[in-house]
Amino acid sequence: TDKLTYKITDINLAESGRKLISMAEAEMPGVMQLKKIHGPKKPLKGVRLAGCLHVTAQTAVMIEALREMGAQIQWSCCNPLSTQDNIAAALAKAGISIYAWQGETDEEKLWCIDQTIYFPDGQPLNAILDDGCNLTRIVHEKYPHLTSGIHGSSEETTAGITKLRKLLKDKRLKIPIINVNDSVTKSKFDNNYGCGEGVIDGIKRATDVMIGGKNVVIIGYGNVGKGCAKAFSGFGARVVIIEVDPICALQATMDGHQVITMVEACKIGQIYVTATGSTNLIREEHMMEMCDMAILCNIGSGQTEIDIAWLKANAVKIENIKPQLDIYHLSNGRALIVPADGRVINLSCAHGNPSFVMSNSLSNQILAHIELFTKKGQYPVGIHTLPKILLTVHRPLGSSATNFTTEIPPSSTTIEVSFSSFTTDLSSPFTI
Ligand SMILES: Nc1nccc2c1ncn2C[C@@H](O)[C@@H](O)C(=O)O
């Protein structure tokens, strides 16, 4: 086929990207351990994996582990703003077919995804790795004839799971799904601690705002909202919470945060953070009441938690300050600061969540694909989570890592908890 083997910004950025990938490997013991244990056995030989997930150093570490395990891989990015061009260049130079660059248009993003459907040998994908259900949705809508050949898709994020549950409810889901987001070693770590550090990194790189002493309104008190509230509180902000779920609202109260409504919040908020995985949380009726130069940022995936469309249609002036930072001047004479066009701020304005928590999330991605490919019959069409097992493995001193997997009783299932939070010294008894 005359398809480009890759399309990125600049292959000359590869060396700098490779250095960052090496640094990330040092802080991703879980993924590296899985690569060491499973790599030699090539459990994914025969997998043609199309991935659509943020192109960061952490993702690159996972991609290279999956390839070491035998998978053929093609990649695009789920967010037009989150590709790090030097990482994409390092992956392209290493022979990965990647179609992604920082600052894609929405149409280019879709073109990139289309490049990953068929492999160079003309064969279609037979596995999907998704973050926000973009690729799974496109396969269902544009390539429905290919769904029967796909043994499974893994979904990384909350908003993606919401979309998949709707597909399932409408009886339109055609492939097995492993819900990586709800693995406890993913959502209790990446979503919480990762996004807590990521939102601060993103908002500061975007706006240089002083956080101490500010009124910060966090909308959504799930794993992500909890991590963000803790991070902003740590910087001395006064954090108030909007939350409709009574349990999460009670947790917010018990954590010392006032829980109020958006009508009340938009009178006091100086920094807003949407973290719900839902849509249209901040709307016209709120924005028209907000303080001058309030900052609206989003850390849920997708671009619809803040009603950007209304802002673009109704601002009297849109002032671009720098890439990923605009000020919208409203008809009431006040202005709102919006980083990243309302897209996920940690990945659009910084480099995403740190390696250590991503090792947890991406270890679960790897385990999901080993599970889906080697145990096909066990995962019918539907949404599954990786089994959670507690396992004590007592290992004779000095034995090699490879026989670790043979010590797992054949009846047990894949270890859901990734290694990254445990010592990689397999010579000592430890409990997983
Ligand atoms: N450094 C990174 N690499 C890849 C993906 C990254 C990331 N940081 C955040 N996400 C997104 C995840 O938090 C995903 O789990 C989500 O929920 O969006």
Side-chain angles (χ1 to χ4, degrees), residues 31-308:
V31 171
M32 298 310 283
Q33 189 67 12
L34 287 169
K35 182 177 182 178
K36 188 174 159 190
I37 291 175
H38 292 289
K41 295 174 294 183
K42 307 293 177 222
L44 299 180
K45 187 166 177 45
V47 171
R48 291 186 301 281
L49 174 66
C52 184
L53 185 142
H54 309 283
V55 179
T56 65
Q58 295 72 32
T59 302
V61 175
M62 173 186 67
I63 288 174
E64 296 190 329
L66 288 165
R67 184 170 62 167
E68 180 68 18
M69 293 176 194
Q72 284 177 269
I73 295 173
Q74 300 195 133
W75 212 265
S76 64
C77 189
C78 56
N79 174 329
L81 302 177
S82 64
T83 289
Q84 287 158 52
D85 291 325
N86 52 4
I87 301 300
L91 287 170
K93 185 147 190 176
I96 298 283
S97 299
I98 179 162
Y99 307 86
W101 54 93
Q102 228 281 344
E104 294 164 9
T105 64
D106 288 335
E107 296 70 34
E108 288 169 334
K109 171 184 158 183
L110 296 174
W111 178 86
C112 290
I113 292 176
D114 276 334
Q115 305 313 301
T116 65
I117 302 296
Y118 285 94
F119 281 69
D121 59 6
Q123 293 271 9
L125 74 171
N126 61 14
I128 294 173
L129 195 155
D130 236 345
D131 185 321
C133 190
N134 295 279
L135 178 50
T136 303
R137 178 177 53 77
I138 287 171
V139 165
H140 277 78
E141 291 173 359
K142 199 171 171 184
Y143 305 91
H145 56 292
L146 297 181
T147 53
S148 58
I150 296 173
H151 55 261
S153 171
S154 58
E155 174 55 49
E156 170 80 2
T157 196
T158 310
I161 295 301
T162 305
K163 292 186 182 104
L164 286 163
R165 285 189 175 131
K166 177 134 178 38
L167 267 180
L168 182 63
K169 183 166 165 278
D170 297 348
K171 299 193 180 357
R172 289 189 293 126
L173 184 65
K174 297 277 187 278
I175 56 178
I177 303 291
I178 287 197
N179 170 357
V180 165
N181 183 64
D182 291 329
S183 287
V184 285
T185 48
K186 191 270 175 185
S187 41
K188 301 282 181 211
F189 293 85
D190 173 356
N191 299 29
N192 189 314
Y193 306 104
C195 291
E197 295 194 20
V199 72
I200 300 292
D201 192 359
I203 196 168
K204 281 201 166 281
R205 289 194 207 209
T207 67
D208 301 319
V209 69
M210 177 83 188
I211 292 171
K214 291 280 175 41
N215 289 335
V216 174
V217 179
I218 295 181
I219 302 156
Y221 205 68
N223 292 313
V224 176
K226 286 178 174 75
C228 294
K230 186 159 65 77
F232 277 103
S233 302
F235 273 79
R238 176 182 170 238
V239 173
V240 293
I241 302 292
I242 315 284
E243 174 55 72
V244 290
D245 175 287
I247 299 300
C248 292
L250 184 57
Q251 286 179 306
T253 307
M254 305 286 279
D255 289 338
H257 305 299
Q258 195 185 3
V259 180
I260 57 177
T261 65
M262 258 318 273
V263 172
E264 296 161 305
C266 58
K267 302 223 179 339
I268 58 163
Q270 294 159 294
I271 297 173
Y272 294 80
V273 180
T274 53
T276 67
S278 185
T279 60
N280 275 350
L281 286 304
I282 296 185
R283 304 183 296 275
E284 169 186 359
E285 64 265 32
H286 307 134
M287 290 190 262
M288 287 304 282
E289 295 299 318
M290 286 177 178
C291 311
D292 190 28
M293 299 298 266
I295 300 171
L296 309 189
C297 63
N298 164 51
I299 191 157
S301 45
Q303 193 187 9
T304 54
E305 301 215 21
I306 300 166
D307 189 351
I308 289 293

